[in-house]
């Protein structure tokens, strides 16, 4: 009997040992962790917030903060700043912006815009908007795009998107304006709201227009045809609107377009249909871009079935000349360490360039800081899918 | 939550009784309840066991222990095997898939009555769909089944689970068995089932089994977090929504014996509608996606022995599956897709005894699969698979060897895009994979045995991996697993004394999964993914299990079973990703605990039975970055059940009351998919 007694007792021992040694603890709130990444720097910009999207369904949208005055990067600050919020910040952070003293984060799959105090990241309230995408502000109102407009019940089932107008004081939606299918980024310029319509749910019938909304009446007045599946949209200081097209992932590649707002308006007024008069494009694929002064910084990661690999570009376009100055602004070879670029921002004072790496989307990403010369200064691990940066 | 009442139970029981009486079965003879001491009248067929069962590490659940588990589905039962991890999305209708020794669920072959269940579309078999109602035995083999008289597909997976449905068997002088069961309890469960067995001739019997399952799928769940000092930061309770299930299973079979063999044929039909409860995230507590499934298959098997040394087995199957997925949520992308799969399968297996110590087998299988869908840019894939397996066993004193070689030929075809309906693209794969098993009795006492095995096998990329619109990658290569195992078994039965039976198993293993197919993002945005052969995982593990049967006093029988698994399953995919925070290189892969284990105890005293089962799953991470933000606490549940058998006027009635998750633990197996807390089930079973 001795042999099996030993076997039995040893197994019992291992089992009890495991149980005692690794019992279940209560889940503690996330405590932010701090990493010193650089020497302090003193400008009028105190720091920046980075919104990590978090993979869909993971509820891991998180907020990081970098403090220029200390050189310390703080990860995952929302849980600690708001310990009483159930299920934290939410699922898939899609945009972030600061207006006045408040920090606004668009949380796509949690169907809400989270409003926080910009100094502390403490929650002030939320605005419920289903499938919300991007945010901009103008004179006391926030404008948010959403895919979730009214439904047209037809066999092919169609649903237009809208722009919601939110009173930033009361956090109430005061009006909505229907636009195209699945609207993405928006921009406010010259008394108008421009909205990039994607039609991403309508494959293969993508949208190909920018909606123009008159700010005063808050109604869509016109559509500007540009290219299929539009995504990002930003104005420069020369009266131009830069729009990115995702392409269709098959034959139609992604591309950067530039609309001359004044000329487009004039052509529309006089009924001139020649698009070449107001529309230009740069032969480069674009995933996202950022405009600083006369420089448009962009990156793209496009899959090529021919090469069976990604083609990654880190480009700079000169906005007045619309010329691509470089296809790789990273000059020290660091681009080889970046798996999947996912966000870009440039510090308007120091001209440092920030590029995020989302890696494989399920693991924590990395934030890279490059000097204006394209040489990496530092990098730090972030949350999952680091994507959107706003300076504070 | 518990919307049954004693009155409703009695009424439903009465209904079942009257229904049976109306069928004129009241005069049925004395019933033989499945007793502890073996089953009467079981039809034992075909030659003796051809090779030692011990040669391949395997585990089995059957008889009393299986009955004692409060398992609703096969998935609930296989959790008790060592080395097994279940991915459970929660609730009666939630998806439940099995992963053996951390190689991934795609590497598991699941066989139902001897023939593999297929899903060419995504390679996943949802074990939550196979009810325990008609399952008699579940066995699990690492590597492959130890028999060599088997189809080529039996060699084709890294590990296999065999589900054996109940076969008709009759007590002496009986010609008919009828068994009606009604289960009800938490989640609004209403689950009637009926089993009917008829002895047509001495050699042919028939069986019909049917079951309906309805559940609202509603249960309370709770999420909470605390401060470091233990005070509550937030605490929220809600009800799981959209987890309802309506399912019908209908199964019929004919079983026959011939002078030199046996045959069987069966038809299986399953139809269900279910809600997909979805992930619980901030501000979203309810989803509305739905899924409809229809599954029909017919399969048959014939075994015949020619002379003393040669035997032949033919298996055949045809299957049709239809799945409709609907996302009616107006705020999201509207999706209403229907997928149809067809399968045809034929297998011939030959076995020849060369001499007393040496035998050989050769089998050849052919399989055809198709997938159709009403999606944009769908390519309508078709797949032809031919598998040929040669195997041999040899016994030499106390040493036994089993070697097999499997050749697989896969030929896919698809339409090239919408524009060119006619043009077809083809691709071929052919692979040769070996396996070698060895066992030895080092002592004169045959109670102790040592074993070892090596196996290399692959899984083909599924149709979704290869061809799913926008996601598939036609250049995918097969995903390989290589397994090395070393183990020991001690097994003994005793005639006298308190201890009746004792068995202990210990195995140590090393597995390598290469060319692992993983989904990676494609371009900008989170909504475009594609598959690639990027992963490399190395797994080091140990499994220990022991079971004992004790009879301390007469009529009091106790069976105990313990199992424990330790696994180091590490991600070697990206050697550059070595950051101390968030690096994935050598991180434990997603959802694989280091430690896990289970314990079950079944105690019987005359007509009373008490069952206890315990499962422990240690801490896990949501992905290979083993940081706090990805950490998931261990979970463990205690289930308790009480059964009582009654007999009156030749009828047998058994009642069971189960309480699962006794201590109401709130846990997630998969992040943001809350599992049910304490829940109840009452089962009444009448046998005639």
């Amino acid at each position: 009997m001795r042999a099996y007694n030993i076997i039995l007792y040893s197994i019992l021992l291992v089992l009890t040992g495991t149980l005692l040694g690794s019992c279940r603890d209560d889940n503690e709130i996330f405590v932010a962790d701090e990493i010193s990444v650089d020497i302090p720097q003193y400008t009028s910009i105190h720091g920046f917030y980075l919104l990590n999207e978090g993979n869909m369904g993971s509820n891991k949208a998180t907020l990081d903060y970098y403090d220029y005055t200390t050189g310390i990067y703080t990860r995952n600050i929302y849980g600690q700043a708001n310990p009483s919020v159930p299920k934290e910040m939410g699922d898939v952070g899609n945009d972030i912006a600061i207006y006045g003293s408040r920090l606004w984060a668009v949380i796509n799959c949690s169907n809400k815009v989270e409003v926080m105090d910009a100094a502390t990241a403490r929650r002030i309230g939320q605005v419920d908007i289903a499938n919300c995408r991007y945010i901009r502000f103008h004179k006391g109102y926030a404008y948010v795009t959403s895919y979730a407009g009214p439904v047209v019940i037809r066999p092919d089932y169609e649903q237009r998107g809208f722009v919601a107008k939110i009173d930033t004081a009361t956090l109430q939606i005061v009006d909505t304006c229907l636009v195209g299918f699945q609207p993405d980024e928006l921009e406010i310029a010259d008394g108008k709201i421009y909205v990039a319509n994607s039609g991403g749910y309508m494959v293969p019938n993508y949208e190909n227009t920018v909606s123009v909304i008159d700010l005063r009446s808050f109604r869509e007045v016109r559509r500007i045809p540009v290219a299929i599946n539009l995504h990002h949209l930003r104005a420069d200081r020369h009266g131009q609107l830069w729009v990115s097209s995702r392409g269709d992932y098959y034959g139609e590649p992604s591309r950067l377009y530039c609309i001359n707002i004044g000329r487009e308006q004039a052509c529309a007024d006089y009924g001139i249909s020649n698009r070449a008069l107001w529309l230009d494009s740069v032969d480069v694929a674009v995933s996202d871009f950022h405009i600083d002064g006369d420089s448009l910084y962009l990156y793209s990661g496009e899959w090529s079935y021919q090469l069976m690999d990604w083609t990654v570009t880190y480009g700079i376009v000169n906005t007045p000349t619309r010329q691509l100055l470089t296809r790789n602004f990273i000059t020290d070879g660091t681009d080889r360490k970046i798996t999947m670029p996912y966000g870009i921002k440039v510090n308007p004072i120091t001209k440092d360039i920030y590029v995020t790496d989302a890696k494989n989307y399920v693991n924590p990403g990395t934030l890279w800081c490059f000097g204006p010369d394209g040489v990496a200064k530092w990098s730090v691990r972030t949350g999952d899918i680091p994507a959107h940066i706003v300076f504070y | 939550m518990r919307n049954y009442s004693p009155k409703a139970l009695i009424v439903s029981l009465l209904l079942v009784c009257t229904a049976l009486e109306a069928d004129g079965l009241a005069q049925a003879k004395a019933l033989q309840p499945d007793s502890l001491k073996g089953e009467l009248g079981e039809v034992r067929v075909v030659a003796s066991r051809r090779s030692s069962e011990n040669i391949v590490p395997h585990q089995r659940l059957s008889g009393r222990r299986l009955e004692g588990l409060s398992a609703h589905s096969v998935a609930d039962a296989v959790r008790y095997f060592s080395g097994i991890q279940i991915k459970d999305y929660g609730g009666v209708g939630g998806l439940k898939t099995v992963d053996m020794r951390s190689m991934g669920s795609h590497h598991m072959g699941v066989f139902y009555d001897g023939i593999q269940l297929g899903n060419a579309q995504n390679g996943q078999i949802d074990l939550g769909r196979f009810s325990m109602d008609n399952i008699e035995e579940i066995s699990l083999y690492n590597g492959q089944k130890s028999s060599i008289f088997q189809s080529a597909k039996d060699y084709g997976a890294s590990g296999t689970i065999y589900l054996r449905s109940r076969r008709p068997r009759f007590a002496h002088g009986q010609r008919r068995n009828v068994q009606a069961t009604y289960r009800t309890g938490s989640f609004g469960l209403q689950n009637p089932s009926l089993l009917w067995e008829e002895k047509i001739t001495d050699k042919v019997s028939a069986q019909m089994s049917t079951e309906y399952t309805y559940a609202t799928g509603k249960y309370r769940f709770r999420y909470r977090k605390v401060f470091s000092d233990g005070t509550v930061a937030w605490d929220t309770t809600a009800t799981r929504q959209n987890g309802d299930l309506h399912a019908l299973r209908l199964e019929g079979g004919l079983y026959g014996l011939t002078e030199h063999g046996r045959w069987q044929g069966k038809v299986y039909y399953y139809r269900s509608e279910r809600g997909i409860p979805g992930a619980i995230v901030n501000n979203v507590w309810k989803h509305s996606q739905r899924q409809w499934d229809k599954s029909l298959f017919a399969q048959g098997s014939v075994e015949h022995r020619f002379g003393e040394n040669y035997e032949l087995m033919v298996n055949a199957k045809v299957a049709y599956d239809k799945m409709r997925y609907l996302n009616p949520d107006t705020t999201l992308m509207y999706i209403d897709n229907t997928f149809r799969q067809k399968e045809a399968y034929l297998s011939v297996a030959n076995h020849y005894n060369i001499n007393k110590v040496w035998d050989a087998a050769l089998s050849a299988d052919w399989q055809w699969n198709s997938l159709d869908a009403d999606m944009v840019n769908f390519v309508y894939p078709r797949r032809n698979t031919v598998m040929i397996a040669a195997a041999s066993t040899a016994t030499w004193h106390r040493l036994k060897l089993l070697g097999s070689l499997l050749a697989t030929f896969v030929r896919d075809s698809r339409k090239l895009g919408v524009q060119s309906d006619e043009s077809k693209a083809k691709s071929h794969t052919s692979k040769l994979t070996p396996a070698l098993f060895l066992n030895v009795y080092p002592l004169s006492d045959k109670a102790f045995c040592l074993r070892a095995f090596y196996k290399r096998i692959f899984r083909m990329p599924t149709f979704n991996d290869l061809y799913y619109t926008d996601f598939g990658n036609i250049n995918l290569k097969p995903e390989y697993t290589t397994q090395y195992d070393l183990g020991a078994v001690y097994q003994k039965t005793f005639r006298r004394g308190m201890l009746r039976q004792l068995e202990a198993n210990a195995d140590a293993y090393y597995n390598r999964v290469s060319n692992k197919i993983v989904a990676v993002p494609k371009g900008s945005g989170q909504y475009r993914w594609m598959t690639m052969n990027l992963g490399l995982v190395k797994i080091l593990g140990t499994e220990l299990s022991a079971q004992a049967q004790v009879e301390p006093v007469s009529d009091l029988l106790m069976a105990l079973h313990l199992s424990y698994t330790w696994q180091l399953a590490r991600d070697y995919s990206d050697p550059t990703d070595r950051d101390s925070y968030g690096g994935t290189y050598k991180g434990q892969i997603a959802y694989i605990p280091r430690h896990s284990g289970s314990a079950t105890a079944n105690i019987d005293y005359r007509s009373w039975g008490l069952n206890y089962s315990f499962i422990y799953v240690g801490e896990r991470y949501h992905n290979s970055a083993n940081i706090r933000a990805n950490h998931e606490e261990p979970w463990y549940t205690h289930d308790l059940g009480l059964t009582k058998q009654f007999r009156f006027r030749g009828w047998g009635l058994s009642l069971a009351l189960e309480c699962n998750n006794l201590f109401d633990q709130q846990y997630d197996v998969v992040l943001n998919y809350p599992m049910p807390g304490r829940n109840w089930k009452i089962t009444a079973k009448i046998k005639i």
Side-chain angles (χ1 to χ4, degrees):
Chain A
M1 292 267 256
R2 207 166 285 161
Y4 45 74
N5 274 343
I6 291 168
I7 296 169
L8 258 179
Y9 286 127
S10 55
I11 289 165
L12 271 171
L13 204 72
V14 170
L15 259 179
T16 29
T18 327
L19 290 181
L20 295 174
S22 45
C23 259
R24 193 179 161 81
D25 294 319
D26 269 328
N27 278 311
E28 278 179 29
I29 53 154
F30 289 117
V31 179
D33 45 350
E34 300 183 340
I35 309 98
S36 180
V37 295
D38 199 6
I39 50 164
Q41 197 178 75
Y42 304 96
T43 65
S44 58
I45 299 172
H46 307 297
F48 61 80
Y49 285 98
L50 186 151
L51 178 64
N52 298 288
E53 290 193 353
N55 200 2
M56 252 167 133
S58 72
N59 198 44
K60 284 181 183 171
T62 57
L63 200 59
D64 298 349
Y65 182 73
Y66 178 64
D67 190 339
Y68 282 117
T69 62
T70 58
I72 287 172
Y73 190 85
T74 314
R75 265 191 300 255
N76 209 349
I77 61 172
Y78 185 90
Q80 199 172 337
N82 303 283
S84 62
V85 178
K87 288 256 153 196
E88 294 88 26
M89 199 150 92
D91 198 27
V92 189
N94 206 65
D95 199 8
I96 191 164
I98 288 175
Y99 188 68
S101 62
R102 288 174 174 187
L103 177 66
W104 296 61
V106 182
I107 313 296
N108 180 226
C109 295
S110 282
N111 301 326
K112 64 159 189 184
V113 179
E114 183 82 5
V115 186
M116 293 160 279
D117 178 62
T120 60
R122 282 213 187 95
R123 178 186 155 93
I124 292 164
Q126 73 179 42
V127 187
D128 286 306
I129 302 174
N131 212 337
C132 41
R133 302 288 299 169
Y134 289 91
I135 190 165
R136 288 292 187 278
F137 299 90
H138 188 258
K139 293 191 175 162
Y141 291 98
Y143 296 89
V144 176
T145 52
S146 163
Y147 282 3
V151 180
V152 183
I153 302 290
R154 282 206 299 230
D156 53 351
Y157 185 103
E158 290 181 344
Q159 178 169 29
R160 281 170 71 185
F162 66 88
V163 178
K165 182 178 180 181
I166 302 150
D167 184 331
T168 55
T170 62
L171 307 188
Q172 296 301 309
I173 298 173
V174 293
D175 201 358
T176 58
C177 171
L178 277 184
V179 288
F181 293 106
Q182 293 83 49
D184 273 320
E185 199 160 30
L186 71 167
E187 181 71 291
I188 299 166
D190 291 345
K192 303 230 166 40
I193 306 172
Y194 296 89
V195 184
N197 296 309
S198 74
Y201 289 174
M202 315 287 293
V203 183
N205 306 312
Y206 290 106
E207 281 274 9
N208 64 351
T209 58
V210 169
S211 287
V212 184
I213 298 170
D214 177 55
L215 255 180
R216 196 171 305 157
S217 64
F218 198 52
R219 287 295 163 260
E220 185 187 39
V221 288
R222 224 143 48 74
R223 294 277 185 97
I224 308 173
V226 179
I228 60 157
N229 203 359
L230 300 178
H231 187 193
H232 291 290
L233 183 150
R234 263 159 243 164
D236 67 12
R237 57 186 184 189
H238 304 285
Q240 300 182 117
L241 210 53
W242 294 85
V243 196
S244 70
S245 157
R246 293 181 176 104
D248 65 359
Y249 309 97
Y250 286 93
E252 192 73 34
S254 161
R255 201 177 170 93
L256 180 65
Y257 291 87
C258 178
I259 302 168
N260 185 310
I261 302 173
R263 283 198 217 158
E264 193 281 331
Q265 184 66 57
C267 286
D269 290 347
Y270 293 102
I272 300 163
S273 61
N274 187 357
R275 287 208 302 167
L277 291 174
W278 51 266
L279 186 69
D280 197 1
S281 74
V282 183
D283 185 18
V284 64
V286 189
S287 296
D288 197 359
F289 63 90
H290 174 79
I291 298 172
D292 179 68
D294 281 347
S295 296
L296 183 151
Y297 295 79
L298 65 88
Y299 74 85
S300 63
E302 244 201 341
W303 178 256
S304 156
Y305 279 103
Q306 283 77 44
L307 301 169
M308 283 314 286
D309 203 356
W310 285 281
T311 312
V312 178
T313 308
Y314 301 94
I316 299 174
V317 173
N318 180 268
T319 52
T321 63
R322 300 184 295 279
Q323 293 302 308
L324 187 65
L325 303 179
T326 172
R327 278 188 181 270
N328 191 357
F329 60 71
I330 300 173
T331 52
D332 61 351
T334 306
D335 49 316
R336 286 194 296 273
K337 293 184 184 168
I338 299 174
T339 317
M340 178 53 66
Y342 203 79
I344 190 161
K345 204 81 180 180
V346 176
N347 182 315
I349 297 168
T350 63
K351 306 294 175 191
D352 279 349
I353 309 164
Y354 297 92
V355 175
T356 64
D357 180 2
K359 299 190 183 286
N360 69 353
Y361 282 36
V362 293
N363 295 317
T366 303
L367 170 68
W368 286 91
C369 172
F370 296 94
D373 55 355
V375 174
K377 290 169 112 177
W378 51 264
S379 73
V380 66
R381 251 358 232 252
T382 60
D384 298 356
I385 318 185
H388 312 281
I389 291 173
V390 61
F391 290 107
Y392 171 61
Chain B
M1 233 168 91
R2 280 169 248 141
N3 57 1
Y4 57 83
S5 66
K7 199 184 266 176
L9 180 73
I10 290 163
V11 170
S12 45
L13 272 176
L14 280 173
L15 280 171
V16 173
C17 296
T18 22
L20 293 176
E21 251 169 339
D23 280 325
L25 288 159
Q27 81 280 22
K29 289 270 159 62
L31 147 126
Q32 295 286 347
D34 289 344
S35 83
L36 293 161
K37 290 158 187 172
E39 289 135 344
L40 284 174
E42 183 177 1
V43 187
R44 277 227 163 251
V45 267
V46 192
S48 59
R49 202 166 278 175
R50 287 169 197 88
S51 49
S52 164
E53 281 284 289
N54 283 339
I55 198 163
V56 177
H58 75 284
Q59 299 169 70
R60 178 167 297 162
L61 273 170
S62 61
R64 177 65 184 85
R65 186 169 172 234
L66 189 63
E67 272 184 25
L69 294 176
S70 24
H72 185 77
S73 73
V74 169
D76 296 334
V78 298
R79 297 184 303 170
Y80 293 92
F81 288 133
S82 53
I84 284 287
Q85 293 304 325
I86 293 271
K87 218 172 176 190
D88 187 345
Y89 289 80
V92 182
L95 175 70
K96 294 166 177 67
T97 58
V98 180
D99 179 354
M100 185 195 275
R101 291 186 170 180
S102 309
M103 292 179 289
S105 58
H106 289 97
H107 288 283
M108 287 295 303
V110 182
F111 287 70
Y112 190 75
D113 283 338
I115 298 181
Q116 192 169 8
L117 296 164
N119 186 342
Q121 184 183 2
N122 59 27
Q124 280 189 332
I125 304 295
D126 182 1
L127 288 177
R129 284 198 202 170
F130 290 89
S131 131
M132 287 304 299
D133 185 63
N134 198 35
I135 299 288
E136 192 166 68
E137 183 182 280
I138 304 172
S139 357
L140 177 141
Y141 290 87
N142 296 109
Q144 63 202 34
K145 197 165 62 160
S146 31
S147 157
I148 59 167
F149 184 38
Q150 59 188 10
S151 70
K153 284 195 102 183
D154 290 78
Y155 297 95
S158 306
T160 34
I161 290 183
Y162 290 87
L163 310 178
R164 205 182 76 196
S165 70
R166 186 189 151 104
R167 282 184 196 154
R169 49 170 185 269
F170 302 92
H172 187 68
Q174 286 271 50
R175 300 203 69 84
R176 176 178 292 156
N177 292 326
V178 178
Q179 185 177 304
T181 311
Y182 201 94
R183 292 182 190 84
T184 182
S186 304
F187 322 120
L189 178 73
Q190 303 297 337
N191 177 209
S193 69
L194 182 70
L195 174 80
W196 192 298
E197 290 170 340
E198 199 82 30
K199 196 173 194 173
I200 297 167
T201 69
D202 276 354
K203 296 211 163 150
V204 180
S205 52
Q207 188 199 65
M208 197 276 291
S209 158
T210 183
E211 175 181 14
Y212 188 78
T213 309
Y214 168 74
T216 60
K218 286 186 178 162
Y219 55 86
R220 237 172 248 269
F221 63 91
R222 181 178 179 187
Y223 280 113
R224 60 180 232 140
K225 278 204 174 164
V226 299
F227 290 103
S228 53
D229 63 359
T231 55
V232 174
W234 56 267
D235 186 341
T236 184
T237 301
T239 302
R240 198 72 168 125
Q241 301 285 351
N242 197 39
D244 60 310
L245 172 72
H246 311 248
L248 172 74
R249 175 179 63 85
L250 193 60
E251 214 173 331
L254 277 176
Y255 302 80
L257 292 175
T258 57
E259 204 176 326
H260 296 287
R262 63 172 172 183
W263 56 269
Q264 63 163 293
K266 79 182 306 169
V267 177
Y268 179 100
Y269 175 71
Y270 177 86
R271 195 180 72 189
S272 69
E273 177 186 345
R274 72 190 66 211
I276 300 173
I280 297 294
V281 299
N282 174 287
N283 215 27
V284 182
W285 300 86
K286 192 178 168 182
H287 295 261
S288 55
Q289 289 79 6
R290 304 204 59 84
Q291 187 176 318
W292 290 263
D293 286 278
K294 240 179 221 176
S295 196
L296 176 69
F297 66 78
Q299 66 184 41
S301 174
V302 182
E303 273 179 59
H304 193 88
R305 176 177 279 272
F306 298 89
E308 274 301 291
N309 295 319
Y310 175 68
E311 54 194 324
L312 175 78
M313 174 167 66
V314 178
N315 286 318
K317 180 180 180 175
V318 284
Y320 171 78
D321 284 280
K322 181 179 164 187
M323 190 267 270
R324 177 180 169 218
Y325 173 85
L326 174 72
N327 174 24
D329 185 344
T330 57
T331 68
L332 299 170
M333 184 171 175
Y334 176 79
I335 300 169
D336 185 356
N337 285 143
T338 303
F339 299 89
R340 287 180 178 82
Q341 288 191 66
K342 286 177 207 148
E343 181 179 309
Y345 170 71
L346 184 67
S347 161
V348 180
N350 308 273
H351 177 248
Y352 187 72
N353 285 319
I354 299 165
N355 56 40
K356 269 188 182 163
V357 296
W358 186 23
D359 55 357
L362 186 71
S363 23
D365 290 17
W366 166 77
Q367 184 175 304
W368 176 85
N369 290 93
S370 75
L371 174 64
D372 296 332
D374 54 355
M375 286 179 80
V376 177
N377 294 337
F378 198 74
V379 295
Y380 304 93
R382 304 284 181 264
R383 174 173 288 176
N384 264 291
T385 310
V386 171
M387 296 167 99
I388 295 165
S392 182
T393 58
T395 315
W396 191 45
H397 299 290
R398 292 184 199 155
L399 181 79
K400 184 160 255 178
L401 265 172
L402 190 161
S404 66
L405 197 60
L406 174 69
T408 311
F409 308 93
V410 184
R411 190 187 168 98
D412 281 8
S413 65
R414 62 188 193 277
K415 285 182 188 171
L416 277 183
V418 263
Q419 295 90 353
S420 47
D421 275 338
E422 299 305 312
S423 68
K424 295 248 179 170
K426 287 186 164 63
S427 59
H428 305 260
T429 307
S430 53
K431 300 284 172 203
L432 201 61
T433 44
L436 188 66
F437 296 78
L438 173 87
N439 101 350
V440 62
Y441 296 96
L443 309 172
S444 56
D445 183 4
K446 283 235 171 178
F448 183 66
C449 160
L450 290 173
R451 66 189 170 205
F453 83 80
Y454 159 80
K455 179 165 182 166
R456 183 165 162 80
I457 193 73
F458 66 94
R459 69 128 171 142
M460 278 301 289
T462 64
F463 283 162
N464 277 2
D465 293 338
L466 291 163
Y467 310 118
Y468 198 85
T469 309
D470 285 344
F471 169 80
N473 173 358
I474 49 161
N475 296 299
L476 281 182
K477 294 188 281 285
E479 176 180 317
Y480 275 91
T481 66
T482 312
Q483 302 176 71
Y484 302 88
D485 177 287
L486 194 64
V489 192
Y490 182 86
Q491 201 173 21
K492 196 145 192 170
T493 328
F494 303 89
R495 295 253 171 89
R496 274 168 297 176
M498 234 170 75
L499 190 66
R500 287 307 167 91
Q501 198 239 326
L502 185 77
E503 187 183 329
N505 283 272
D507 277 277
Y509 56 88
Y510 169 71
N511 300 335
R512 194 169 179 275
V513 185
S514 54
N515 270 351
K516 197 174 166 73
I517 296 167
V518 289
V520 291
K522 175 167 110 179
S524 69
Q526 273 202 46
Y527 310 96
R528 301 281 165 166
W529 292 68
M530 70 180 299
T531 50
M532 293 199 84
N533 291 102
L534 275 180
L536 174 63
V537 179
K538 295 178 188 174
I539 305 131
L540 203 60
T542 310
E543 286 169 22
L544 302 172
S545 68
Q547 59 180 7
Q549 273 187 31
V550 194
E551 195 174 355
V553 287
S554 158
D555 284 350
L556 182 74
L557 210 75
M558 290 165 65
L560 294 165
H561 192 114
L562 299 170
S563 81
Y564 167 78
T565 306
W566 175 83
Q567 284 187 103
L568 197 61
R570 297 197 290 181
D571 188 343
Y572 283 77
S573 310
D574 184 0
T576 63
D577 197 17
R578 291 165 187 261
D579 285 0
S580 58
Y581 174 92
T584 59
Y585 187 69
K586 291 192 181 178
Q588 183 88 350
I589 60 170
Y591 294 116
I592 301 295
R594 285 273 169 89
H595 306 278
S596 57
S598 69
T600 62
N602 309 110
I603 302 165
D604 287 286
Y605 183 72
R606 296 190 176 152
S607 61
W608 290 89
L610 184 70
N611 308 304
Y612 164 78
S613 41
F614 170 77
I615 283 190
Y616 175 86
V617 173
E619 58 172 3
R620 294 144 297 143
Y621 292 92
H622 309 138
N623 59 54
S624 312
N626 297 170
I627 54 170
R628 233 210 92 199
N630 295 330
H631 183 258
E632 198 66 52
E633 287 292 329
W635 63 266
Y636 35 94
T637 54
H638 304 260
D639 299 347
L640 204 59
L642 186 68
T643 59
K644 166 78 179 143
Q645 317 243 359
F646 303 93
R647 279 193 209 184
F648 57 91
R649 281 197 273 157
W651 289 25
L653 171 69
S654 76
L655 287 175
L657 175 68
E658 290 165 22
C659 178
N660 302 323
N661 195 357
L662 200 62
F663 297 108
D664 200 24
Q665 189 167 99
Q666 300 291 318
Y667 64 104
D668 284 7
V669 174
V670 179
L671 175 67
N672 300 326
Y673 286 81
M675 297 293 290
R678 185 183 305 118
N679 62 86
W680 302 83
K681 193 157 78 186
I682 297 172
T683 306
K685 193 182 277 190
I686 297 175
K687 295 181 194 177
I688 297 159

